[in-house]
């Protein structure tokens, strides 16, 4: 390979890297972020686990059209010192801030059942629940959200609408939930909801590229 060929390859590689949009996966610890990443990438080496705090590093996966970014969980993690929790949250916030103009979408995953308990507990203390804070943070940066209400298997089918409408209200969106295209109920451990999320990711990635004249 001569010098120019080598240079051309490098340049192409660099440009490819530069223009590939990112899709970040965020959520509290143990909500199913890595379960989702494992499903969508098909990679068996993505660790999932019963204990919170399984993923402590930011991991990037090349999905061809975009880069998928698996984040550590934010918020309380049993057995993890508060200082480390704060450090992780700062890392996530900085990553998103520093890459905001490259992020085509944020897949925010919540545990639909635990969500209410946690939100109420924080509000009683007069604090802004971290899930809502994260949602506001993402949307303030003009990043398109995909909110995945996971672990719906823990909720009776006849209560689904009520629960999803409740989540909607917390996000300051008027119910009914299904008028909002960004909310997806899911049971990721059974692969349910994954196709819907994939479709939404691709829609947003393509729109992102179109608006920026990429390709
Ligand atoms: N009941 C139920 N459990 C699920 C579902 N999806 C994932 N889980 C379980 O939730 C636990 C946590 O899953 P992970 O994917 O490791 O969660 P995470 O958000 O990556 O967690 P951290 O890396 O600790 O932040 C595992 O035991 C999963 O099997 C679901 O749809 N329903
Ligand atoms: Mg994880």
């Amino acid at each position: 390979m001569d010098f120019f060929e080598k240079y051309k390859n490098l340049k192409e590689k660099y440009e490819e890297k530069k223009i590939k949009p990112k899709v970040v996966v965020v959520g509290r610890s143990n909500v199913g972020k890595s379960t989702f990443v494992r499903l969508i990438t098909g990679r068996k080496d993505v660790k999932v686990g019963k204990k919170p705090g399984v993923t402590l590093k930011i991991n990037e996966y090349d999905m061809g059209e975009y880069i998928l970014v698996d984040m550590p969980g934010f918020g309380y993690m049993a057995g993890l010192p508060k200082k480390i929790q704060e450090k992780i949250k700062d890392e996530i916030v900085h990553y998103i801030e520093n890459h905001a103009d490259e992020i085509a979408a944020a897949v925010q995953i919540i545990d639909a059942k635990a969500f209410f308990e946690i939100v109420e507990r924080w509000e009683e203390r007069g604090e802004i629940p971290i899930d809502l804070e994260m949602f506001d943070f993402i949307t303030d940066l003009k990043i398109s959200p995909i909110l995945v209400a996971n672990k719906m298997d823990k909720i009776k089918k006849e209560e689904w609408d009520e629960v999803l409408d409740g989540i909607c209200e917390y996000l300051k969106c008027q119910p009914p939930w299904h008028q909002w295209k960004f909310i997806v109920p899911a049971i990721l451990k059974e692969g349910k909801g994954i196709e819907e999320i994939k479709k939404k990711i691709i829609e947003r990635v393509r729109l992102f590229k179109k608006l920026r004249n990429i390709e």
Side-chain angles (χ1 to χ4, degrees):
M1 205 191 289
D2 68 10
F3 171 77
F4 288 105
E5 211 176 320
K6 213 167 169 177
Y7 172 75
K8 200 174 139 249
N9 284 349
L10 208 77
K11 190 167 169 278
E12 273 170 7
K13 213 169 169 180
Y14 177 68
E15 276 172 358
E16 187 191 312
K17 202 173 161 209
K18 207 169 69 173
I19 59 174
K20 228 173 231 192
K22 288 181 169 21
V23 173
V24 296
V25 184
V26 295
R28 302 179 69 86
S29 193
N30 209 237
V31 293
K33 295 180 297 299
S34 297
T35 302
F36 165 71
V37 171
R38 205 182 160 113
L39 266 175
I40 198 166
T41 60
R43 285 176 62 146
K44 300 272 187 289
D45 58 338
V46 178
K47 282 209 183 82
V48 305
K50 279 206 168 60
K51 274 196 328 199
V54 171
T55 312
L56 293 175
K57 265 193 1 220
I58 294 173
N59 295 298
E60 298 188 339
Y61 301 92
D62 193 338
M63 301 294 291
E65 269 193 84
Y66 63 92
I67 305 285
L68 188 74
V69 188
D70 187 15
M71 296 279 192
F74 50 75
Y76 176 74
M77 277 175 260
L80 208 70
K82 200 157 181 169
K83 255 213 160 118
I84 297 181
Q85 286 171 36
E86 294 286 322
K87 195 173 154 257
I88 290 173
K89 194 184 161 197
D90 284 349
E91 259 177 61
I92 297 169
V93 166
H94 285 145
Y95 184 96
I96 296 177
E97 270 173 353
N98 293 339
H99 298 90
D101 58 348
E102 295 167 52
I103 301 175
V107 179
Q108 182 174 352
I109 305 182
I110 62 170
D111 175 329
K113 188 152 167 74
F115 178 79
F116 288 96
E117 284 166 34
I118 296 168
V119 167
E120 274 161 24
R121 208 185 311 143
W122 279 60
E123 285 193 329
E124 270 167 28
R125 290 201 304 248
E127 294 172 69
I128 301 172
I130 207 161
D131 285 306
L132 304 183
E133 196 185 2
M134 185 51 84
F135 185 77
D136 286 343
F137 173 67
I138 289 165
T139 47
D140 283 348
L141 287 170
K142 307 273 181 301
I143 297 171
S144 175
I146 298 171
L147 192 102
V148 178
N150 191 31
K151 307 201 182 184
M152 290 300 285
D153 55 305
K154 293 186 177 176
I155 294 161
K156 286 194 210 107
K157 195 81 200 184
E158 56 271 27
E159 285 169 10
W160 275 34
D161 280 336
E162 195 185 319
V163 166
L164 293 164
D165 283 346
I167 292 169
C168 238
E169 277 182 53
Y170 269 124
L171 299 175
K172 300 187 222 57
C173 298
Q174 193 75 28
W177 68 273
H178 42 77
Q179 69 176 316
W180 299 98
K181 299 271 181 282
F182 68 92
I183 301 176
V184 186
I187 306 173
L188 291 171
K189 73 162 184 191
E190 295 168 16
K192 289 191 180 125
I194 187 75
E195 290 308 320
E196 189 69 25
I197 306 168
K198 271 191 199 164
K199 212 175 89 192
K200 290 191 190 298
I201 289 178
I202 291 300
E203 265 169 30
R204 283 158 173 73
V205 166
R206 299 215 170 127
L207 182 67
F208 184 89
K209 285 182 172 173
K210 204 170 150 198
L211 294 173
R212 279 163 187 76
N213 273 323
I214 301 170
E215 283 174 351

